[in-house]
Amino acid sequence: YQRRVHGIFLLSIKYIQEMDLEAIINWILKNPTLYPGKHLNPAPRTTEAVKPLETVAQMMIIWRAMIEYVQEKLLNGKSVNIKGFGAFAYDIATDLPKIAIKSSTTANTVEEQREERKHVHKIRPVFVVDNKLKACLMRYPGKDELEKPKSQASVYQKGFNTIYCNPVPIAAAAFLGKDVVESSLNAIFNAVQDLTKHDKNMELRFGFANVRITHRDLQVTFKPGFGSSLNHKDFEYKMRQSDAQTAEHWKQTYRQKWAQSSPSKLMQKRH
């Protein structure tokens, strides 16, 4: 009886065992015919000061740079769509405008009171599954996280200020070519689709959120405090493009924007 219980226990552990990113990369490298591309071999770095990496470490660096890129865009009030995987976006609910109340006891200035009255949106981070991945998720309920008219079929119409996952800044942060980054990301997310079809359990960690695929179902858990940090008047100011002056956009060069970005800080670390 004890042996039977122990065997069932080991079988259950094996059944619920999840594959992490490194296991997914190893799967890709073991099946080169399924996932051909430049990611299969170590690629030269864009600067001689950084040494070439092994294939696994190379794809791990690309993943890390992608996480920094996506998180920075989200914190700047933009949704990001990752091809073949899904989009990290926002669900926005609007409250009624707040009425100004004249009070001599308030400690806030007039400008601060105006900002508080403008803060009428409730923001919730969501994940919109790509249609290709959704077709592999047999047990996924398929509920739309973003309620939009049916005429808005594209995620770029549904998500607020949605942009695509640009491989150029990711490649610059990883000191690799753009084609290597595109090949690596396509292989990873194509492998996620194939492994989902094979009923494999996976967990992809993005830092700000964890995406878990279990028994062909998908669940997303955002980092505690990430959603609450979005419901602030300062973050809503970033999302309202009408408040920013046009001169500020044109005076700041692309080099200055890149220096302030999160992926540029990865370049300072010689990985």
Side-chain angles (χ1 to χ4, degrees):
Y1 176 75
Q2 291 180 350
R3 290 182 178 178
R4 182 182 178 185
V5 173
H6 183 67
I8 295 175
F9 178 72
L10 292 178
L11 181 62
S12 62
I13 291 178
K14 182 179 180 181
Y15 186 63
I16 63 176
Q17 186 178 7
E18 294 178 337
M19 299 177 64
D20 57 2
L21 177 63
E22 188 174 355
I24 296 173
I25 294 175
N26 290 329
W27 165 268
I28 294 172
L29 299 179
K30 289 179 181 178
N31 298 274
T33 57
L34 297 177
Y35 313 102
K38 294 186 176 181
H39 60 276
L40 296 176
N41 300 309
R45 313 299 289 274
T46 55
T47 175
E48 296 180 355
V50 184
K51 297 180 180 180
L53 297 171
E54 295 182 356
T55 310
V56 176
Q58 178 176 279
M59 298 182 73
M60 295 287 286
I61 287 295
I62 292 174
W63 180 266
R64 181 183 174 187
M66 184 202 68
I67 290 176
E68 293 290 338
Y69 170 80
V70 174
Q71 183 173 358
E72 182 192 42
K73 295 303 179 182
L74 289 174
L75 294 177
N76 286 332
K78 296 181 180 180
S79 305
V80 182
N81 180 45
I82 303 174
K83 181 181 178 182
F85 185 65
F88 290 98
Y90 298 110
D91 183 31
I92 303 175
T94 306
D95 296 335
L96 294 174
K98 300 176 183 179
I99 302 176
I101 300 176
K102 186 177 181 180
S103 175
S104 58
T105 59
T106 180
N108 297 338
T109 62
V110 177
E111 289 76 12
E112 291 176 344
Q113 294 179 34
R114 289 175 179 173
E115 289 295 328
E116 289 291 342
R117 292 198 300 271
K118 286 183 179 181
H119 182 49
V120 296
H121 299 96
K122 301 298 181 183
I123 305 169
R124 181 175 64 93
V126 297
F127 179 71
V128 183
V129 184
D130 188 89
N131 290 330
K132 292 184 179 179
L133 179 58
K134 187 185 292 186
C136 306
L137 300 168
M138 300 300 295
R139 295 182 176 87
Y140 184 68
K143 180 181 178 182
D144 290 334
E145 293 286 352
L146 300 175
E147 296 182 0
K148 295 290 183 179
K150 293 183 179 180
S151 60
Q152 298 181 359
S154 172
V155 68
Y156 295 101
Q157 296 173 314
K158 294 181 180 180
F160 180 85
N161 199 12
T162 305
I163 61 175
Y164 83 108
C165 188
N166 190 354
V168 175
I170 299 174
F175 293 104
L176 291 166
K178 173 190 170 185
D179 50 352
V180 179
V181 172
E182 288 181 324
S183 179
S184 299
L185 294 179
N186 290 336
I188 290 174
F189 295 119
N190 287 336
V192 169
Q193 296 177 19
D194 294 339
L195 291 170
T196 303
K197 295 177 183 178
H198 289 82
D199 202 8
K200 298 293 184 180
N201 301 329
M202 292 167 284
E203 184 180 18
L204 297 174
R205 299 180 180 181
F206 287 83
F208 59 89
N210 287 354
V211 178
R212 179 171 292 172
I213 299 176
T214 308
H215 307 326
R216 304 190 73 171
D217 189 12
L218 184 142
Q219 292 181 346
V220 181
T221 304
F222 285 91
K223 182 180 178 181
F226 182 76
S228 59
S229 64
L230 305 179
N231 290 285
H232 193 270
K233 61 181 181 181
D234 295 335
F235 182 76
E236 189 167 340
Y237 175 79
K238 296 179 181 179
M239 301 185 73
R240 286 199 309 269
Q241 299 180 1
S242 59
D243 290 352
Q245 297 183 2
T246 307
E248 294 179 2
H249 176 76
W250 295 108
K251 286 181 179 179
Q252 193 175 25
T253 63
Y254 179 78
R255 187 180 297 273
Q256 292 173 339
K257 293 180 181 179
W258 170 252
Q260 298 173 0
S261 64
S262 297
S264 68
K265 295 179 175 59
L266 288 177
M267 299 180 63
Q268 301 173 6
K269 304 176 183 179
R270 296 299 182 180
H271 46 258

